């Protein structure tokens, strides 16, 4: 038994030769340099790729092995496969010819901030986990609050505070849950079925999803109609009538989502007037400025890449009371004393990355003045495109341009019905995107099919906008005779 026992605990001599060091600083240095060169070349050559991926469903499965490798492959081989196999399946949101969805702008400063964020791998779930993670976020959120000219009651320097979420969806979910618990503490959890939330029919679909996750019955999620005459903004009178009807039926108004820049048309709701209606019924008001707020210096335009959504609240205790947890293994004297912020209690998940590093690097590297110029430049390029559209009698601007989104379409021709016009515009966007030279998206509002042209990619210049218009005209000329 002694020799048998010895055989079990003695490592084979070959083990050391097979051991790999998966975090060797010099190996990291070499590979990171190659990766940076790869990304820099990607940015440099991004215009050479089709903007929209031309790949068909299942393309990657046919290119990659069915099983992972048993032995290591070289880093150069992996990067080569990224170039040959992955890039053909990427829609290049950073292309200067991408005018589709609202894209997060980028910068060298934010890229470096993200490298440090990943490299430190710090977890800011509680102050004690990494004090710098929490305190830098608090400082940066107050900086942004000042840039936005927010009332002091929304900042840590006042009685409120801010937090960096990964997405708007997470921010909305957090506030809906906090609003829900605040009211249920008064009326009892058994009345959750009476809670009603409000927004316009232009509110982003993630709002409804967040409300469902928070336990709001789908039939109590009000989507109040808007009209082209009101430029698709929510009218205070319309909101008031819906609220009054709910109160009459014994329901409990809970939450209002107001939009500054809707996804379809960048409609702007009259925030002050809507808030006055909501306050009469003690409704939590959430102002979603994920796009339009950018014009006031908001993160999506702050060159910070994706997953950087900033949220401010007047009373952080309501968020903490709804989302806070306090397991024994995370208790410490600073948190228990209430002298520090525990950001894990401001969000749905527990762990937190060092995301404020990106904002900090951007704000310090460029300064407020340059960031404002960046926003103005994008808006000016959208104005240029709007003028080009108006110069062609075949087109029309569907709603007034706001910020850097232009909603336009081919006009409805005399003697032709709306379905014909829609088919014509569908064919136009299909042809434009199939060229790979430009990428657009569409929307349908008030049963009007329209094309969306969003200026926002960091690398876009006026020449790209003019070229996009030339592509659009070229495609119109090819399809008019077909219809």
């Amino acid at each position: 038994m002694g020799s048998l026992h010895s055989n079990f605990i003695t490592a084979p001599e070959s083990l050391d030769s097979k051991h790999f060091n998966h975090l060797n600083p010099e190996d990291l240095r070499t590979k990171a340099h190659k990766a940076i060169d790869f990304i820099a070349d990607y940015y440099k050559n991004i215009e050479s790729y089709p903007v929209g991926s031309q790949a068909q469903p299942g393309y990657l499965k046919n290119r990659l092995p069915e099983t992972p490798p048993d032995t290591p492959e070289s880093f150069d081989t992996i990067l080569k496969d990224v170039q040959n196999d992955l890039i053909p399946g990427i829609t290049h949101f950073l292309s200067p010819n991408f005018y589709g969805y609202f894209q997060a702008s980028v910068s060298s400063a934010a890229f470096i901030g993200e490298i440090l964020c990943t490299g430190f791998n710090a977890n800011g779930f509680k102050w004690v986990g990494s004090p710098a993670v929490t305190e830098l976020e608090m400082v940066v959120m107050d900086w942004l609050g000042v840039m936005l000219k927010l009332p002091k009651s929304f900042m840590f320097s006042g009685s409120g505070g801010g937090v960096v979420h990964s997405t708007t969806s997470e921010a909305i979910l957090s506030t809906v849950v906090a609003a829900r618990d605040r009211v249920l503490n008064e009326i009892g959890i058994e009345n959750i079925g009476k809670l009603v939330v409000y927004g316009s029919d232009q509110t982003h679909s993630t709002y409804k999803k967040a409300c469902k996750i928070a336990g709001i019955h789908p039939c109590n999620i009000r989507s109040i109609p808007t009209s082209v005459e009101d430029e698709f903004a929510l009218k205070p009178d319309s909101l008031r009538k819906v609220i009054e009807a709910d109160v009459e039926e014994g329901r409990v108004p809970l939450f209002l989502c107001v939009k500054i820049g809707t996804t379809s048309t960048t409609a702007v709701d009259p925030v002050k007037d809507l808030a006055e209606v909501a306050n009469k019924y003690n409704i939590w008001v959430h102002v979603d400025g994920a796009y339009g707020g950018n014009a006031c210096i908001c993160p999506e335009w702050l060159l910070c890449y994706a997953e950087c959504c900033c949220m401010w609240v007047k009373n952080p205790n309501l968020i903490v009371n709804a989302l806070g947890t306090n397991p024994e293994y995370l208790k410490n004297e600073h948190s228990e004393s209430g002298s520090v912020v525990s950001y894990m209690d401001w969000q749905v998940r527990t762990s937190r990355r060092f995301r404020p590093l990106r904002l900090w690097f951007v704000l310090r590297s460029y300064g407020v003045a340059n960031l404002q110029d960046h926003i103005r430049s994008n808006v000016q390029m959208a104005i240029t495109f709007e003028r080009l559209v108006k110069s062609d009698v075949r087109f029309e601007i569907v709603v007034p341009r706001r910020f850097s989104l232009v909603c336009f379409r081919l006009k409805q021709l005399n003697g032709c019905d709306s379905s014909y016009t829609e088919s014509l515009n569908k064919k136009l966007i299909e042809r434009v995107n199939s060229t790979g030279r430009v990428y657009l998206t569409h929307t349908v509002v008030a049963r009007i099919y329209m094309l969306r042209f969003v200026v926002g990619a960091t690398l876009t210049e006026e020449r790209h906008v003019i070229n996009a218009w030339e592509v659009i005209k070229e495609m119109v000329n090819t399809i008019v005779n077909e219809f």
Side-chain angles (χ1 to χ4, degrees):
M1 288 296 294
S3 60
L4 180 62
H5 178 70
S6 176
N7 288 338
F8 271 101
I9 64 173
T10 301
E13 294 181 1
S14 60
L15 182 61
D16 287 340
S17 63
K18 291 184 178 180
H19 178 69
F20 70 99
N21 187 343
H22 46 276
L23 190 57
N24 180 292
E26 294 309 315
D27 181 58
L28 172 64
R29 191 190 311 277
T30 299
K31 291 177 179 176
H33 280 152
K34 289 183 177 181
I36 295 295
D37 286 342
F38 183 91
I39 290 297
D41 287 340
Y42 168 71
Y43 289 163
K44 183 178 180 180
N45 301 314
I46 195 168
E47 287 188 64
S48 65
Y49 302 118
V51 187
S53 172
Q54 308 296 301
Q56 297 299 311
Y59 92 98
L60 192 57
K61 182 178 180 181
N62 298 325
R63 294 189 180 207
L64 300 182
E66 293 184 356
T67 58
D70 288 330
T71 56
E73 297 184 75
S74 74
F75 189 70
D76 289 340
T77 298
I78 298 171
L79 277 184
K80 183 178 179 181
D81 288 346
V82 171
Q83 179 70 48
N84 296 335
D85 297 333
L86 298 190
I87 284 184
I90 293 175
T91 292
H92 302 284
F93 278 59
L94 298 182
S95 169
N97 298 309
F98 182 94
Y99 304 100
Y101 312 105
F102 295 140
Q103 62 274 61
S105 53
V106 302
S107 66
S108 301
F111 191 95
I112 300 303
E114 179 61 26
I115 289 175
L116 292 177
C117 172
T118 300
F120 289 139
N121 199 36
N123 195 334
F125 56 95
K126 275 185 174 288
W127 180 89
V128 72
S130 285
V133 177
T134 296
E135 297 198 10
L136 183 65
E137 186 160 344
M138 296 172 68
V139 169
V140 168
M141 290 304 295
D142 269 12
W143 280 6
L144 282 174
V146 171
M147 292 166 65
L148 287 164
K149 298 181 174 60
L150 290 179
K152 200 166 186 179
S153 57
F154 281 95
M155 294 186 275
F156 287 109
S157 57
S159 57
V163 57
V164 180
H165 286 300
S166 59
T167 66
T168 300
S169 305
E170 186 179 1
I172 292 177
L173 176 58
S174 299
T175 54
V176 171
V177 170
R180 178 200 67 189
D181 285 8
R182 180 190 67 156
V183 171
L184 290 181
N185 286 336
E186 298 175 0
I187 66 174
I189 193 171
E190 68 276 7
N191 289 306
I192 189 172
K194 295 181 179 180
L195 302 181
V196 187
V197 297
Y198 305 88
S200 80
D201 57 3
Q202 300 304 304
T203 305
H204 198 281
S205 59
T206 56
Y207 171 62
K208 292 183 179 180
K209 180 185 292 188
C211 291
K212 290 179 182 178
I213 294 173
I216 306 301
H217 197 286
C219 71
N220 285 351
I221 301 174
R222 301 285 179 259
S223 185
I224 303 172
T226 58
S227 66
V228 65
E229 291 78 16
D230 296 309
E231 299 178 2
F232 303 112
L234 177 58
K235 294 174 62 175
D237 285 345
S238 298
L239 173 65
R240 182 182 294 106
K241 289 177 182 178
V242 175
I243 293 175
E244 289 174 350
D246 282 327
V247 172
E248 183 70 23
E249 294 292 327
R251 301 184 187 94
V252 181
L254 174 71
F255 191 93
L256 169 65
C257 186
V258 179
K259 296 288 292 183
I260 300 181
T262 59
T263 301
S264 286
T265 65
T266 60
V268 176
D269 293 331
V271 178
K272 183 176 182 294
D273 293 340
L274 291 170
E276 288 177 355
V277 175
N279 286 339
K280 292 180 180 179
Y281 296 91
N282 198 28
I283 295 174
W284 183 303
V285 179
H286 180 95
V287 180
D288 181 1
Y291 176 73
N294 305 332
C296 305
I297 299 290
C298 246
E300 187 172 334
W301 287 46
L302 283 187
L303 309 171
C304 288
Y305 289 81
E307 294 197 357
C308 187
C309 171
C310 295
M311 183 186 81
W312 290 266
V313 291
K314 274 190 173 182
N315 187 349
N317 288 334
L318 294 175
I319 297 286
V320 173
N321 291 342
L323 301 176
T325 58
N326 193 27
E328 186 63 36
Y329 51 82
L330 292 182
K331 290 181 179 180
N332 61 84
E333 61 174 308
H334 301 292
S335 296
E336 294 302 299
S337 69
S339 61
V340 296
V341 168
S342 294
Y343 270 126
M344 61 175 279
D345 297 331
W346 290 51
Q347 61 179 22
V348 175
R349 51 189 174 182
T350 299
S351 60
R352 290 186 61 76
R353 300 181 71 236
F354 204 171
R355 281 192 298 265
L357 263 179
R358 286 182 289 177
L359 279 170
W360 192 57
F361 264 79
V362 166
L363 295 177
R364 295 192 62 189
S365 298
Y366 305 127
V368 177
N370 279 324
L371 294 171
Q372 291 170 336
D373 286 343
H374 164 67
I375 293 174
R376 292 176 184 135
S377 174
N378 283 333
V379 173
Q380 187 57 51
M381 284 187 282
I383 292 173
T384 296
F385 183 79
E386 180 186 35
R387 289 172 179 166
L388 291 171
V389 173
K390 289 181 175 179
S391 70
D392 193 320
V393 296
R394 297 172 297 180
F395 289 88
E396 65 179 340
I397 301 295
V398 182
V399 293
R401 178 205 52 78
R402 288 191 184 86
F403 312 114
S404 63
L405 171 66
V406 179
C407 294
F408 70 107
R409 68 169 185 165
L410 284 166
K411 288 181 180 178
Q412 185 166 325
L413 303 177
N414 291 332
C416 299
D417 59 19
S418 58
S419 62
Y420 175 87
T421 305
E422 181 172 325
S423 297
L424 200 62
N425 281 281
K426 283 182 177 179
K427 179 60 68 173
L428 173 58
I429 194 172
E430 178 185 310
R431 290 284 177 86
V432 169
N433 289 347
S434 69
T435 67
R437 295 154 60 191
V438 177
Y439 191 88
L440 306 176
T441 54
H442 79 280
T443 190
V444 177
V445 183
R447 293 184 289 184
I448 301 173
Y449 185 99
M450 64 189 82
L451 310 185
R452 300 170 69 257
F453 187 93
V454 186
V455 181
T458 303
L459 299 173
T460 301
E461 300 173 5
E462 188 171 85
R463 64 183 177 89
H464 296 109
V465 171
I466 295 173
N467 176 70
W469 175 243
E470 293 301 319
V471 172
I472 291 169
K473 289 198 301 181
E474 180 184 331
M475 294 303 105
V476 168
N477 293 335
T478 66
I479 67 174
V480 167
N481 294 331
E482 299 176 7
F483 277 74

